[in-house]
Amino acid sequence: MELDNELIPEEKKNAEETVTAAEAEVPAASGEPEKKKKKRRRQIHEVTAENDIRYRGPLSYRHLKILGWFCIIISQIAVVEQLKEHVTGNAIPFFCNDRIISLFTFAALPLLLISIFSVLLQKRSNYRSTLVINGALALGMIGLFMLIYHRYILGLAGAFFNTANQSAADAFDDMMSTIPSFRGFLTFNIFIDVFLCVLVMFFLDYTPKHFFTGKKLLIFRSFVIIPLIYELACILIKIMATERFITLPFWVSPLLTTKPPMSILMFLSIVRFIKIREKKYLATGKSIEEYHEFLKTNTNSFQFSRHLILTVTVYSLLDFLLLIFLTAIDLVVLGRLDASDLPLALAESLAKVNSWGFGGTAGMMDLIPIILLFSYTRTHKQKLIDAAIPVVSVIVIVLVYLDGGFQLIQGVLRNSGTI
């Protein structure tokens, strides 16, 4: 028993030494806690349907398409109502509120473009059908305007001024030039902008299968300069018309672009983002078929929306700075800094520069909540609805112009005492 008692302290001592050594090997027990290893960010070529994220926004391309067409209808009603207000003095006040209407006007194009983006990214449509549809809509708007202009507006102007058709056109242009808010042109054909943007994406993204293959592909890519030149020409024409260097006939209006110049640059940035991601993905050894499967993932959809928000924010800021810069130049060139009423001069310069399209991109910031809720991976089975949306919308727009033209004629005849 004594031996056992003598051994017990020794065993305790060994046990204590063993525990001390074990504790020395565990950093958490002796000092600062061990830092957790940072989780490695998953690369896009590692994303598959099996490890995809679960989040998917509730809004689909169809919802954005409906919202975009709704904004177009509102903007076209505003064009008719504002024309009625200037000519007859009678219009619906809501559609004459520039701040409210500008929200619908600037929202229409990005909503439609994002919707078109989502369809093309999922390869559920081809460029040929997209270009044909939007080109037909642009031409249809031009044709509708020409019909109303030559059949009704010039007919009314000829009866009112008691002149021939060409003299009526000159008289109508002179009358429009007296309207303070009319700066030498009228822009409303949003389908021109949609067609040009799709054309940009077509030349930068599509790969021809028969012509312009191999090294000749660069020639095809260079054709992107065509829509860009058209956009630049429209901007210069607007500036010259505003400064009264040229006088635009009213029939030119449906041929002019409607959106801010910064919008086309923002669009180019988005297309560039898509092409860089494709190149990065294929550089890892993946096939184009695997890339198309990656495009269907919620991960890519969320990353696309996140980049879209960042792009809208950056270009909206740049557009605002450009608006301030050009307004300051206008004040200096015209010598308005020493004007007695500087706030009025500043307001006039701001309105002029804004009419060229600068400063309008900031309105897209209101679309950020919608973009957060958008997912281009959402699809719908009833494709007939997608085809019906533009058809129904165009019918509504035609009725708006016909009814507006009728009310315009009635107002002019009533003011002249004819009826």
Side-chain angles (χ1 to χ4, degrees):
M1 290 296 296
E2 292 181 359
L3 183 60
D4 292 339
N5 291 336
E6 290 178 359
L7 289 175
I8 289 174
E10 186 67 23
E11 291 176 356
K12 288 182 179 181
K13 182 178 179 181
N14 293 336
E16 291 175 355
E17 291 177 355
T18 303
V19 172
T20 303
E23 289 175 349
E25 294 177 359
V26 182
S30 59
E32 297 180 356
E34 184 182 11
K35 294 183 179 178
K36 293 183 179 180
K37 291 184 179 180
K38 187 177 181 180
K39 189 176 181 179
R40 187 176 68 88
R41 184 179 180 181
R42 188 172 51 181
Q43 301 299 314
I44 59 174
H45 67 275
E46 299 173 337
V47 178
T48 62
E50 288 73 22
N51 60 15
D52 195 13
I53 63 174
R54 297 181 60 183
Y55 174 76
R56 187 166 63 160
L59 298 181
S60 68
Y61 71 93
R62 180 179 291 174
H63 298 126
L64 267 60
K65 191 175 186 178
I66 293 173
L67 288 173
W69 276 101
F70 175 76
C71 291
I72 290 175
I73 293 173
I74 296 296
S75 64
Q76 300 309 304
I77 295 175
V79 170
V80 173
E81 291 297 322
Q82 289 175 3
L83 186 60
K84 283 168 54 181
E85 182 188 39
H86 293 314
V87 176
T88 67
N90 183 25
I92 301 175
F94 173 81
F95 295 102
C96 297
N97 189 315
D98 293 335
R99 182 167 296 182
I100 295 176
I101 297 303
S102 64
L103 175 63
F104 289 96
T105 302
F106 289 124
L109 179 62
L111 286 172
L112 285 182
L113 287 179
I114 296 172
S115 174
I116 293 172
F117 258 9
S118 64
V119 175
L120 292 175
L121 281 174
Q122 287 283 54
K123 306 300 178 184
R124 293 192 300 273
S125 180
N126 55 58
Y127 281 104
R128 179 182 297 177
S129 62
T130 305
L131 287 170
V132 168
I133 291 173
N134 289 284
L137 289 172
L139 292 175
M141 182 63 72
I142 294 172
L144 175 61
F145 175 84
M146 293 300 180
L147 173 64
I148 295 175
Y149 176 70
H150 289 284
R151 178 69 178 172
Y152 298 103
I153 295 179
L154 290 187
L156 175 62
F160 184 77
F161 295 109
N162 193 23
T163 58
N165 196 48
Q166 182 58 44
S167 299
D170 296 334
F172 182 78
D173 290 342
D174 292 338
M175 183 191 70
M176 291 296 294
S177 64
T178 62
I179 300 175
S181 60
F182 183 74
R183 299 185 177 276
F185 58 89
L186 181 66
T187 59
F188 57 87
N189 193 354
I190 189 178
F191 305 113
I192 291 288
D193 300 88
V194 176
F195 179 75
L196 290 177
C197 287
V198 175
L199 203 59
V200 168
M201 188 173 182
F202 171 68
F203 288 131
L204 292 181
D205 181 62
Y206 181 72
T207 302
K209 297 179 175 60
H210 302 291
F211 302 100
F212 301 108
T213 57
K215 294 182 178 180
K216 294 181 180 179
L217 181 62
L218 292 176
I219 300 176
F220 179 78
R221 296 282 184 251
S222 67
F223 289 158
V224 73
I225 196 69
I226 297 174
L228 296 180
I229 289 177
Y230 190 95
E231 179 77 25
L232 180 61
C234 287
I235 295 172
L236 294 177
I237 289 173
K238 292 175 187 177
I239 293 175
M240 289 189 292
T242 303
E243 297 296 337
R244 307 301 179 185
F245 294 145
I246 60 174
T247 300
L248 292 178
F250 194 65
W251 60 264
V252 177
S253 299
L255 301 176
L256 298 176
T257 55
T258 67
K259 293 300 128 198
M262 196 62 69
S263 297
I264 194 73
L265 296 179
M266 183 175 68
F267 184 79
L268 284 172
S269 175
I270 296 172
V271 175
R272 180 176 176 272
F273 168 76
I274 294 174
K275 295 304 296 180
I276 288 177
R277 281 174 70 83
E278 177 183 350
K279 185 178 180 180
K280 180 181 177 181
Y281 187 93
L282 297 178
T284 61
K286 297 283 187 175
S287 65
I288 190 66
E289 290 77 15
E290 290 175 310
Y291 176 70
H292 290 163
E293 290 299 318
F294 164 71
L295 292 178
K296 300 177 183 178
T297 62
N298 296 333
T299 300
N300 186 62
S301 176
F302 177 74
Q303 291 176 353
F304 174 75
S305 298
R306 187 176 61 187
H307 178 79
L308 197 57
I309 292 172
L310 177 63
T311 303
V312 168
T313 304
V314 170
Y315 279 90
S316 295
L317 178 60
L318 290 176
D319 193 31
F320 175 75
L321 295 176
L322 194 58
L323 172 67
I324 300 301
F325 176 72
L326 293 177
T327 301
I329 290 180
D330 185 71
L331 287 172
V332 172
V333 170
L334 297 181
R336 293 183 175 181
L337 289 177
D338 299 329
S340 57
D341 193 351
L342 184 58
L344 179 60
L346 177 61
E348 290 178 355
S349 294
L350 274 172
K352 181 196 296 186
V353 175
N354 188 253
S355 70
W356 302 341
F358 296 99
T361 310
M364 297 183 187
M365 293 287 290
D366 298 322
L367 297 179
I368 288 180
I370 296 178
I371 297 174
L372 282 173
L373 298 175
F374 166 70
S375 176
Y376 74 78
T377 58
R378 287 195 176 275
T379 59
H380 301 277
K381 294 181 179 180
Q382 296 295 332
K383 303 301 180 184
L384 186 61
I385 298 178
D386 296 331
I389 292 172
V391 174
V392 173
S393 301
V394 168
I395 292 174
V396 173
I397 292 173
V398 170
L399 294 176
V400 165
Y401 275 97
L402 290 177
D403 183 69
F406 177 74
Q407 293 185 31
L408 186 64
I409 294 173
Q410 276 190 326
V412 171
L413 293 177
R414 186 177 295 109
N415 291 342
S416 63
T418 306
I419 58 173

